[in-house]
Amino acid sequence: MDMNVGEMLSVVITGVVVVFIALIILIVIVQVMGKIFQSINDSKKNTQTESKSEVKPAAPPTKTLAKAKPVSAPKTDGISDDVVAAITAAISCVISSQGEAKPFVIKSIKRVRESRNAWNMAGISENTRPF
């Protein structure tokens, strides 16, 4: 079990060199895989945007305005007009991003009453989040 200092030094240096070479190889592999997956994602996005633009041409806004009917204000449970406008705009964005151009009417907006307090919800989300 007697090793001289020269042998110990050579074993340590060899181990360190092997570990760094392995780390460099892993870094290169991860970077190459990242570029491959990025190019795959970019090509999928390009084909999706091309197919969307080819399938559905944009309808002129005058047609939708001509079909619009006067609507009474929705029941809002004390929510301010600014919040109602923001909710309506958000719903409109979601519907238009899904490709549907159907007119919609908001009949009422109700506040959702929380059954649990904030600390209870924080504990539940902390203990049930995925690994």
Side-chain angles (χ1 to χ4, degrees), residues 1-64:
M1 280 232 217
D2 262 344
M3 290 181 80
N4 63 12
V5 175
E7 288 178 5
M8 285 192 294
L9 216 70
S10 68
V11 169
V12 169
I13 291 174
T14 304
V16 169
V17 168
V18 168
V19 167
F20 278 109
I21 288 174
L23 286 174
I24 290 171
I25 291 171
L26 284 174
I27 289 171
V28 169
I29 290 172
V30 168
Q31 286 179 343
V32 168
M33 289 178 64
K35 289 183 181 184
I36 289 171
F37 288 123
Q38 184 66 34
S39 65
I40 290 171
N41 285 341
D42 290 342
S43 66
K44 284 183 181 179
K45 287 180 183 177
N46 289 339
T47 57
Q48 287 177 354
T49 56
E50 289 173 1
S51 66
K52 282 184 181 179
S53 63
E54 292 173 3
V55 173
K56 291 193 173 190
T62 56
K63 289 183 180 178
T64 56

Side-chain angles (χ1 to χ4, degrees), residues 14-125:
T14 304
V16 169
V17 168
V18 168
V19 167
F20 278 109
I21 288 174
L23 286 174
I24 290 171
I25 291 171
L26 284 174
I27 289 171
V28 169
I29 290 172
V30 168
Q31 286 179 343
V32 168
M33 289 178 64
K35 289 183 181 184
I36 289 171
F37 288 123
Q38 184 66 34
S39 65
I40 290 171
N41 285 341
D42 290 342
S43 66
K44 284 183 181 179
K45 287 180 183 177
N46 289 339
T47 57
Q48 287 177 354
T49 56
E50 289 173 1
S51 66
K52 282 184 181 179
S53 63
E54 292 173 3
V55 173
K56 291 193 173 190
T62 56
K63 289 183 180 178
T64 56
L65 291 177
K67 293 180 182 177
K69 299 176 184 176
V71 179
S72 62
K75 299 177 185 176
T76 58
D77 282 349
I79 301 172
S80 70
D81 291 340
D82 295 337
V83 175
V84 172
I87 291 171
T88 306
I91 293 171
S92 175
C93 287
V94 169
I95 289 175
S96 66
S97 70
Q98 293 175 351
E100 298 180 20
K102 298 178 182 176
F104 64 95
V105 176
I106 297 177
K107 295 183 180 179
S108 68
I109 298 175
K110 297 179 184 177
R111 291 187 188 269
V112 177
R113 305 287 183 227
E114 293 184 23
S115 60
R116 297 184 171 128
N117 64 19
W119 290 107
N120 193 353
M121 292 301 294
I124 290 173
S125 66

